[in-house]
Structure formats: C-alpha cells, structure tokens
Amino acid sequence: MVNRFIVLLVVATAVIVFAQGSQSVRLKQAQEFASQGKHKEALDEYRAVLSTDRNNAEAYLGAGEVRLQMKDYKLALDNFQLAFRHNPRLTKAIEGEALAYEGLNQRDNAVAKWRVLAESGTAEQKTKAQARIGALLGSTTAAATPSQATPATTPTTPTTPAATPSAAQGKFTYDSPEFKAGLAAYEKKNWGESLKHWREVLRKEPGNPGAYYYAGVCRFNMGELDNAIINFNRSFDFPERGFNANYYLGRIYEQKKENAKAIGFYNKYLQQTTSAEGKTEVQGRVARLNAAAPATPATSTTPATPATPAQEPVLTADGPYACNSLESCLRMEEKRKQDSIAAYLESLKNKPLTVGPEKVVATEYGGNFAFASTTESGSADLQKALNLIQKKSFQSAIDALLVVRQKFPGTPNSMAAAFNLLSLYQYLELHDKVIALGNSVLQEPVPEPYKSAIHYMLAASLVKKGEYQNGYNTLLNVKEEQKLGPTHGQKLALEAEIAARYKPDQGSPEILKKAIDAEPDRAKKNELRMKLAELYIKLQDGPAAIRVYKEVEEDCPPNPSDPCNRVFSELGDRSFLSQNWPMALEYYNKAAERHKDPVQSSWALFQIGNVYRRQGNYKEAVRSYDRLITAHSGTYWADQAKLYKDDAIWQENNKGVLKNDR
C-alpha cells in the first residue's frame, strides 16, 4: 500500500513538472508561429496552454498580440484585459489595450490607456505613449502657452525648404524617411510625435544639425526651454534654417528675463535673415527690451524701428498711471497690472467668499465645472472651455482655460479656471500637472470652497504617484460637504485608500467602513464596499471579504449594466476556490444572467461547466459548454469551452474503462 502511494506521488510530481515544462515549450512555439505569421497555429498553442492554466497572463498577452496582428481588435482587447487581470504588472497588456482601442476607433479609451502607460510603463513605453497621445488628440501632449507658441510671423527664409538636399549639407542628410516623418508631424504641430522622430534621426546620425533644430522648436513649443537651448546651440550648421536658432534663443532668454543675452541673439538673427516680417518683429522686441533695461547697450548695426502699432502702449497724460514715453508707459502698464493683482489678493483676505462659484455645471466626465462670475472678465473663455469639454475636445479645453489664467490674472474667473484645469487634469490622469498646478495655486490666498477642493484633488494625485504621507498631510486641509466637494464619504474613502496602500493592517478597514456609512449614494456605497472586500482579500481575511460581498449582493439593483454585478462573479470565484460547488453554481448563474459585459458573462458560463466537470457530472458540463458556445460564439471562453467539452465527452465515454483499468 505504501509502495503504491509512493508511486502515485512520484507520478503526480512528474506530471506537474512535465506540465510546467510543456507550457514553457508551447509558449515558445506559439511565439515562433506568431513571428512567422502563422496566426492560427499560434492561437492553438496559446489555447493549449490556457486549457491547463487559465491564469497564464503570458498566454493571454500572446493571444492578444496575435489577434492585434489579425486586426481582430475586439478579441484582442478581451485577451489583453485578461492578461492584465492576471498580472497587473504586465505593462505590455496596457499597451495592447491602447492599440486595440485605436483599432476600434475608440479614441478616448485609447488615450486613457496611453496615459496610464505614460506614468507606469518603461522609459520606451512612456515615450511611445506620449507620442500616441499627441497624435490622437491632434495637438501637443503638453499645452503650450501663447507666450511659448510660435507666432504667425515666425522668421523664415525664402530659400529651399530644409528637407531638400543641397551641396552645403556636408556629411548629413535631410531627406531620410525618418527625417521626413519628423517633418510631417512637425507641420501638423504634433510636437511630441515629431520629437520622437528627431531622437531616432540623431540615434542613426549623431550630430545632425537639422534634427537638433527641429527638436529645439518642438521643445520650445512644449515649454521645455532648457532642453531647447541645448538643441538650438547644436543647430547653427543646419544649412537652410540654422540661423533661425538665434531667433528662438532670443525668445527663450527674453522669457527668462535675461535681456542682454536675448538682445545678443536677436542681433545675430537680424544680421542673417532676409525676412522683412521677421526683421520688423525682432526689431520691435529689441526696442522694447532696450526700453525696459536702458543700461543694456544695443549692439545692432541695423537701425531699430518702433514697435508695431499692436505692440505699442497707449500714451496717457493724467491719472495715477500717466506716462508720456514708450519707456514710462511700459513701466506704468506693468505697475497697473501688479497693483490690480495686489488689490485683488488683499481683498481676498477680507472677503474670501466673494469669489465662490456663482455657477457650477456637472460635466459628462463626472467632474464639476465652475464659473466664479458669469458676467466678469474671462466668463466667455470659460464657456468656450466648457463647450469643448462637452465635445470631449480636452486638449483644446485645456488651452482655453490656460488663456483665462494668462489673460485675466488675479480675477475671480482665473481662480475658477485653475480649479477647472485641475479637475480636467485629474480626469485625464495627468497627475504630475495636478501636483505642479495645485501647489502653485495654493501659494495664493485661495478662498473656500476652492481651497478644500484643490487640496482634495492634490491629495488624490499625490496618492496616485505613491506619495502617501504627503497625500495624507494634504488631506488634513480639506473641509468636506462644500459646493465643489468633496463629500464626507469621498474624503474618508481617500483616507482609507492611503491607509490601505501605506499601512493596510493599521485601521484602514475601519476607515472604509466609516466612508461607507457616510456615503448616501447607493452606487458609490457599493463601490466602497467592493474596495473593502478587496482589502480584506489583501489582508487574507476571506470570511470578512465574503460578508462584504454579500452586502453588495443584497443592495445591487437588477440592472444589467450596473458595476456592482461583478460581485456575483467574485462570490462565484470565492466559492469555487473553497470547492463549495452548490454556492459556486448559484452565483455563477446569477452572474451569467445579470452581466451585460460579454467577458464577465462568458467567464461565468465557462465556470458553470467547470463546476459540473469537477463534480464528475460530465453530461451537465457538456450542456453548459454548449450554452456558452451558442450564446457567445467566437469569444475566447467559447473557444475554450469547445476544448473542455471534448474532454468532458471523452471522460463520460471512458468512465468504465478508467475504473476497470488496473
């Protein structure tokens, strides 16, 4: 008897080792088939792996990549989602989801996935994600302010375009496929996409001054001024446009308030350009800089012309800001602006509630949009931004909100624009921008309810970036239940998330329970309960997780699209793992009936067949697999059901043979 047991143990161990080795071989074989374009054969191998290990994330990922090549985007998406579900660290699965959404023409979903990858992917994936975001939005990945954008009169020369080869090019080429691709993106003002191509040109052809020039312009428009300086200083030898680098360097140093350097580069540009428009603009800039800093000598040999009428200030002879010369008017205009801002900021100290939002609009993406005043400066631009958000033109909306911040500094609607920007950045998962802008705005004397709402958004983004202690400290400044939020329940939920990620065993379930009790909305309450159950699973408290899941079950409305319907799959999975077959069947059947999501409902039907098969009831297993194959033909789990159905039929037909085999 003992010998028989030892033999069985050895055989079982050998089977496990063989199965693991077999899976590895089949994965490699599938990858080989895929590289050869043998899609069907590759998918067959991946199915074989998953038939013995349904949790194999690599197999799901590989199947998704094959289906992506086949342009079967819907099934590819299903595979990538399953890969990520079984291995949340698999960033290739996120990239696959983004590409599948692009194939399905679901731009917003694709952008959302690329944004996740831009934060959590490898360095190469982050670069690719930023480029794809720019391409999908049809504009820059980082909003360029008006002071950074290239003016309509950007200096150019009437010579041959830079992409055309000439004798002066020396050892560098400017018509390679990669260079042309960079130019195509540049002409569309897709700065991030264009920058990717210039990096590739420089990798293949180090020192190419044309690539440095265009990379500098891209970075100038993206606000990366220090990197732009480096690029421009290496671009002067670009035969067609290298001298334009002097113009951009002048613009950069002008923004940095280094007027002497700016004038020096502007003068070099004036000596080389043949553009009448370019000369007029730059001469006006030099004149203004000389007026603002009279001690700085102007070295230009070209006579300076007065500023253009659009740039020339109005001369006045009375009032506290009277002036009678170009220099004094520029100074008085700046003083008037600063005095206006100072007066406004001082007024906030005495009457902080006067700039509370006059109007708050709920947007489709779930955030609030605020108007501090519908009649004062900036209200028209705010309305324009709201209209763009409702059309899901998010980048254009960001640009419009930045205009309000720049055109009307220190006004109530500028504060509303800051809040709206933060809300939109957070929705788009641009957490670095939330943190930068939030910290900047909070340097001002921000009134309520903006103050608490901004602190809350800042805390949430800090948590997303893994800065849990800073997030918690910021959350302490939040007063809940105000006009712009958050609710008491939302604040407690974020506090619980901080505790769950930072120190999950120190009171975070109790904080979540308080958040659940405080949340009046049933859907949000159930979302918090699902988080609590997941937390209990993380803490390895299975019974507590099941108790919370059952609370959700009792409160989940009979709506096929409600998110809480996934509780039935969770309860089914918990029951399956504990081999409680009757309860597993009960919950998988409910999941199959109530799930609108085909992935979830097909998984439930697949598991029903597996429950019967584990019980040895092969006839019922076959009926369940047939039900799945009919209801969800062509899906991944329907394909798996066909394999398992064949196995169940074989098992049923060979019951007696197996029993009598000695």
Side-chain angles (χ1 to χ4, degrees):
M1 185 70 181
V2 173
N3 289 339
R4 182 178 294 181
F5 174 76
I6 293 172
V7 169
L8 289 172
L9 181 61
V10 170
V11 170
T13 305
V15 167
I16 293 170
V17 172
F18 174 77
Q20 291 173 341
S22 174
Q23 283 185 356
S24 177
V25 170
R26 294 200 113 155
L27 281 172
K28 289 181 180 178
Q29 182 63 65
Q31 292 162 1
E32 182 65 24
F33 281 140
S35 67
Q36 296 171 1
K38 297 179 179 179
H39 299 142
K40 182 180 181 303
E41 291 84 349
L43 287 174
D44 286 342
E45 292 299 325
Y46 285 127
R47 289 192 188 101
V49 173
L50 289 164
S51 67
T52 57
D53 178 12
R54 74 175 182 86
N55 298 324
N56 195 306
E58 290 293 335
Y60 288 123
L61 177 67
E65 290 173 340
V66 170
R67 287 189 161 118
L68 201 61
Q69 293 172 14
M70 297 169 67
K71 298 185 178 181
D72 190 351
Y73 300 118
K74 181 65 178 71
L75 288 181
L77 182 62
D78 291 345
N79 286 151
F80 290 130
Q81 289 173 342
L82 287 164
F84 185 74
R85 174 179 175 181
H86 292 294
N87 184 0
R89 296 182 181 179
L90 202 60
T91 55
K92 285 186 178 180
I94 302 173
E95 182 176 346
E97 286 183 74
L99 292 169
Y101 278 127
E102 285 193 34
L104 292 166
N105 294 319
Q106 296 182 21
R107 190 185 70 166
D108 288 343
N109 288 335
V111 169
K113 289 299 175 183
W114 284 124
R115 290 195 190 284
V116 173
L117 200 66
E119 290 195 359
S120 61
T122 63
E124 184 179 349
Q125 287 176 323
K126 288 178 180 179
T127 301
K128 181 176 182 178
Q130 290 165 356
R132 291 309 306 148
I133 291 167
L136 290 167
L137 292 177
S139 57
T140 63
T141 56
T145 65
S147 63
Q148 296 165 343
T150 306
T153 58
T154 298
T156 56
T157 64
T159 56
T160 309
T164 305
S166 70
Q169 289 174 357
K171 65 179 180 179
F172 298 109
T173 57
Y174 306 112
D175 61 349
S176 66
E178 196 66 41
F179 201 102
K180 289 180 178 179
L183 277 177
Y186 174 88
E187 289 166 0
K188 294 178 182 177
K189 298 184 179 181
N190 290 341
W191 312 123
E193 176 73 11
S194 181
L195 195 58
K196 180 188 72 172
H197 293 293
W198 303 130
R199 289 195 191 100
E200 184 62 20
V201 171
L202 289 167
R203 187 184 69 80
K204 295 178 179 177
E205 199 174 4
N208 187 308
Y212 277 124
Y213 172 78
Y214 286 112
V217 179
C218 290
R219 285 189 159 122
F220 175 82
N221 283 296
M222 294 169 71
E224 299 176 7
L225 301 187
D226 291 334
N227 286 332
I229 290 172
I230 295 170
N231 289 152
F232 284 130
N233 279 324
R234 297 176 180 177
S235 71
F236 293 118
D237 292 334
F238 184 28
E240 307 298 345
R241 296 190 179 185
F243 72 93
N244 272 342
N246 292 301
Y247 167 82
Y248 286 105
L249 287 166
R251 289 287 304 275
I252 290 170
Y253 284 115
E254 184 178 348
Q255 289 185 45
K256 287 176 171 285
K257 307 297 184 186
E258 297 182 38
N259 293 357
K261 286 186 178 180
I263 290 171
F265 282 111
Y266 282 146
N267 286 332
K268 289 178 183 178
Y269 169 76
L270 287 169
Q271 292 168 8
Q272 298 177 58
T273 187
T274 59
S275 168
E277 289 181 339
K279 282 184 177 180
T280 300
E281 181 200 345
V282 171
Q283 287 167 348
R285 289 182 178 277
V286 170
R288 291 201 307 278
L289 291 172
N290 279 323
T296 304
T299 58
S300 173
T301 57
T302 306
T305 60
T308 60
Q311 299 163 333
E312 200 169 284
V314 178
L315 304 182
T316 60
D318 55 4
Y321 305 107
C323 59
N324 53 21
S325 70
L326 176 64
E327 178 184 344
S328 63
C329 284
L330 286 168
R331 290 178 176 174
M332 285 300 102
E333 176 63 19
E334 183 62 27
K335 185 176 186 302
R336 185 199 63 75
K337 185 186 295 184
Q338 294 301 324
D339 288 349
S340 174
I341 294 172
Y344 166 67
L345 295 178
E346 184 63 31
S347 73
L348 293 183
K349 297 177 182 178
N350 302 321
K351 299 178 181 179
L353 293 178
T354 57
V355 295
E358 175 186 308
K359 176 183 174 184
V360 178
V361 180
T363 62
E364 291 183 17
Y365 67 79
N368 288 322
F369 190 95
F371 291 83
S373 170
T374 55
T375 57
E376 295 184 26
S377 300
S379 61
D381 293 285
L382 285 177
Q383 186 60 54
K384 175 184 175 183
L386 177 60
N387 294 340
L388 289 165
I389 286 173
Q390 290 169 337
K391 294 176 182 177
K392 299 189 183 301
S393 299
F394 296 129
Q395 186 62 49
S396 297
I398 288 171
D399 292 341
L401 290 168
L402 286 169
V403 167
V404 179
R405 291 284 292 168
Q406 292 147 9
K407 283 173 61 178
F408 310 107
T411 64
N413 277 332
S414 176
M415 180 60 67
F419 166 80
N420 297 330
L421 267 172
L422 286 165
S423 180
L424 189 52
Y425 283 154
Q426 194 159 68
Y427 169 70
L428 297 172
E429 298 186 11
L430 299 173
H431 299 297
D432 286 330
K433 288 187 177 292
V434 174
I435 293 168
L437 179 59
N439 282 321
S440 174
V441 173
L442 289 171
Q443 297 301 310
E444 305 171 24
V446 182
E448 295 290 6
Y450 293 109
K451 187 175 182 179
S452 287
I454 291 172
H455 270 117
Y456 176 74
M457 289 188 284
L458 179 57
S461 286
L462 286 167
V463 170
K464 291 292 185 184
K465 298 295 289 184
E467 298 183 33
Y468 305 119
Q469 188 62 55
N470 286 341
Y472 179 75
N473 292 338
T474 304
L475 194 61
L476 294 176
N477 297 305
V478 174
K479 295 178 182 177
E480 63 268 19
E481 302 297 344
Q482 297 196 82
K483 195 169 185 179
L484 294 174
T487 65
H488 181 56
Q490 287 173 325
K491 182 181 176 182
L492 283 170
L494 182 55
E495 185 180 345
E497 185 176 355
I498 293 170
R501 294 190 183 193
Y502 190 46
K503 293 181 179 178
D505 57 337
Q506 295 185 14
S508 47
E510 298 308 315
I511 301 171
L512 257 179
K513 286 179 183 177
K514 290 179 183 177
I516 291 166
D517 292 339
E519 180 55 63
D521 183 86
R522 182 168 70 173
K524 292 179 180 177
K525 188 185 287 284
N526 281 330
E527 286 176 14
L528 292 173
R529 284 173 174 156
M530 295 295 283
K531 287 183 179 180
L532 178 58
E534 290 164 8
L535 178 58
Y536 277 132
I537 290 171
K538 183 177 180 180
L539 296 172
Q540 299 183 347
D541 189 347
I546 290 175
R547 283 198 302 273
V548 177
Y549 279 136
K550 287 189 174 180
E551 289 177 12
V552 179
E553 176 199 2
E554 293 170 2
D555 201 32
C556 190
N559 182 345
S561 62
D562 197 290
C564 69
N565 281 320
R566 67 188 177 92
V567 74
F568 298 110
S569 295
E570 295 289 350
L571 282 167
D573 289 345
R574 295 285 117 200
S575 304
F576 188 91
L577 290 172
S578 63
Q579 298 188 13
N580 187 336
W581 308 127
M583 188 173 288
L585 282 175
E586 176 189 349
Y587 287 117
Y588 282 135
N589 273 304
K590 286 182 179 179
E593 292 167 6
R594 297 183 60 165
H595 258 303
K596 190 176 183 180
D597 181 359
V599 174
Q600 292 291 341
S601 58
S602 60
W603 164 250
L605 289 170
F606 181 66
Q607 284 295 85
I608 290 170
N610 290 341
V611 170
Y612 284 124
R613 195 162 62 88
R614 292 289 293 272
Q615 290 178 301
N617 190 343
Y618 299 113
K619 288 183 179 179
E620 284 300 322
V622 169
R623 290 193 186 98
S624 299
Y625 292 137
D626 278 337
R627 179 184 170 194
L628 168 57
I629 293 164
T630 302
H632 297 281
S633 177
T635 65
Y636 177 80
W637 291 117
D639 291 342
Q640 291 299 301
K642 292 175 184 176
L643 298 174
Y644 277 62
K645 174 186 170 183
D646 292 342
D647 178 72
I649 291 170
W650 186 90
Q651 295 280 3
E652 176 67 20
N653 293 337
N654 291 276
K655 273 184 181 179
V657 175
L658 290 172
K659 281 183 179 179
N660 296 325
D661 188 16
R662 295 183 185 269

